[in-house]
Amino acid sequence: MQRILITGATGQIGSELTLALREKYGTDRVVAAGHRRETDRELAETGPLLSFDIRDGAAIRDAVREYRIDTIYHLASLLSTVAEKNPQLAWAINIDGLRNVLEVAKETGCRVFFPSSIGAFGPETPSVNTPQITIQRPKTLYGITKVAGELLCDYYHRRYGVDTRGLRFPGLISHRTPPGGGTTDYAVEIYYAALQHGSYECFLHANTRLDMMYMPDALDAAVALMEADGAKLRHRNAYNVTAMSFAPDDIAAEIRKMIPAFHMRYAVDPLRQSIAESWPRNMDDSAARSDWGWRPRYDLPAMTRDMLEQLRVKLNAPQEGGHGAE
Ligand code: VAH
């Protein structure tokens, strides 16, 4: 039975993955590690929650040995917009942190999950049906760390036999923990704004189409990949996975089906618009579907219904329309 360490456990993916894996494998077999111990009471109350800096390799090694870890979901990372504003810090966390994890995995035999992203592609990449193997010349520091991360994980697999596996995630939408500084964050903020204010001011153009995925599908994909037969994996780092492709005006139209008075305004942020335009519109994820049975469950209507239902409870918002807790 797996004994798992999750780095970046207090982040958007990590917080939900920790709870899901504790339910699946048992609370004492899933150790959460974040750099902000105080920010998640539920993680602290449902199992071990450590606090260390991912740039401290010794701290990772100590945690792996103390808890007899055999699998590391390495989620600690700065996201695209924050990374563009802090490139040196982003390189240190996203690359030096990953190298620390891979070195510990090489020494201890741990398997490693690495989250790559559509951010690993750039404007020269075919933007429609983006192939599994294609040109990757991202223009953001975040994207550079994701391509370098994919190559580093493949290197540790080929050179040292470390069982590394990864996914190129699209924008992820969730209701539990807000994302921390990504270019696709509008697709989360919009649901909160629809319920709290009845309107949202979007920082991307109305027609900026991007790959997206609801968090339950992202968690299922990560676990399915890590449980897959390694002999059947034609790729390691990293598989394209997607669930839907939409633009801000698509998600606004879907929200209006449930909140008819919802109003969308646009105030484009040049930085985040330029990042989004450098990414593909939709990926070809046929390799993940054939190699390990990837199938998303949520499309835009299903995600919108669930997001609004979950957030109405979280925000104590009225059933009809928006304008819940201010
Ligand atoms: C970001 N949410 O916006 C992340 C993700 C595909 C985007 O990598 O940086």
Side-chain angles (χ1 to χ4, degrees):
M1 176 69 85
Q2 295 183 52
R3 298 185 67 84
I4 296 166
L5 171 67
I6 299 173
T7 70
T10 56
Q12 183 194 20
I13 303 173
S15 61
E16 296 206 43
L17 182 64
T18 298
L19 297 174
L21 291 180
R22 283 177 174 170
E23 188 172 333
K24 182 178 179 67
Y25 296 116
T27 53
D28 61 342
R29 290 179 171 274
V30 181
V31 179
H35 73 288
R36 296 171 297 174
R37 191 185 197 114
E38 71 288 354
T39 56
D40 202 311
R41 187 167 47 80
E42 191 177 5
L43 295 193
E45 290 175 353
T46 55
L49 173 60
L50 311 179
S51 176
F52 56 60
D53 187 319
I54 202 65
R55 295 168 289 183
D56 178 356
I60 302 168
R61 186 176 293 103
D62 292 347
V64 165
R65 294 196 190 291
E66 180 180 351
Y67 290 91
R68 294 180 287 116
I69 300 297
D70 57 32
T71 302
I72 301 174
Y73 284 81
H74 175 52
L75 302 175
S77 169
L78 290 193
L79 296 181
S80 55
T81 303
V82 170
E84 213 51 30
K85 294 173 180 172
N86 305 275
Q88 285 73 22
L89 178 62
W91 182 267
I93 290 175
N94 293 11
I95 294 297
D96 295 345
L98 171 62
R99 195 170 47 81
N100 286 340
V101 166
L102 290 170
E103 278 296 303
V104 169
K106 180 179 77 171
E107 293 162 16
T108 60
C110 285
R111 305 179 323 133
V112 177
F113 172 81
F114 171 70
S116 187
S117 158
I118 56 173
F121 299 118
E124 294 90 350
T125 305
S127 65
V128 176
N129 288 327
T130 303
Q132 176 63 45
I133 296 175
T134 185
I135 188 167
Q136 293 179 258
R137 294 187 61 80
K139 298 298 179 271
T140 65
L141 196 285
Y142 172 76
I144 292 165
T145 68
K146 288 304 180 182
V147 174
E150 289 184 14
L151 298 174
L152 204 55
C153 289
D154 274 351
Y155 180 83
Y156 271 75
H157 176 64
R158 271 197 321 275
R159 177 77 188 275
Y160 304 115
V162 178
D163 184 349
T164 59
R165 308 178 185 196
L167 298 174
R168 291 180 190 133
F169 281 129
L172 299 182
I173 292 107
S174 62
H175 53 78
R176 185 185 185 282
T177 305
T183 302
T184 59
D185 294 0
Y186 87 87
V188 178
E189 295 168 357
I190 189 170
Y191 289 106
Y192 284 83
L195 290 170
Q196 291 175 314
H197 313 300
S199 66
Y200 178 64
E201 185 170 272
C202 185
F203 54 74
L204 294 183
H205 276 302
N207 60 357
T208 308
R209 179 172 292 277
L210 290 171
D211 267 331
M212 297 283 185
M213 185 184 294
Y214 198 27
M215 187 61 77
D217 278 334
L219 303 183
D220 288 349
V223 174
L225 176 64
M226 292 306 280
E227 291 190 336
D229 176 358
K232 293 179 179 170
L233 301 182
R234 289 177 293 161
H235 310 282
R236 287 277 172 166
N237 300 280
Y239 277 92
N240 292 352
V241 285
T242 187
M244 53 191 110
S245 174
F246 60 73
D249 57 358
D250 298 320
I251 194 171
E254 201 59 43
I255 289 173
R256 270 193 289 273
K257 292 178 185 174
M258 300 184 72
I259 306 177
F262 174 70
H263 174 63
M264 183 89 131
R265 300 182 308 281
Y266 292 92
V268 173
D269 169 7
L271 171 61
R272 286 184 284 190
Q273 186 64 36
S274 67
I275 293 173
E277 287 177 357
S278 72
W279 292 348
R281 301 293 152 267
N282 73 292
M283 292 184 285
D284 171 3
D285 62 2
S286 55
R289 291 169 182 264
S290 58
D291 289 8
W292 45 275
W294 161 240
R295 294 289 182 283
R297 290 180 290 138
Y298 287 87
D299 60 9
L300 180 55
M303 176 178 72
T304 299
R305 283 193 299 274
D306 196 63
M307 276 292 282
L308 292 177
E309 184 181 312
Q310 300 286 345
L311 288 177
R312 278 199 170 100
V313 174
K314 181 175 181 177
L315 303 173
N316 189 26
Q319 271 312 306
E320 66 295 333
H323 304 290
E326 287 298 331

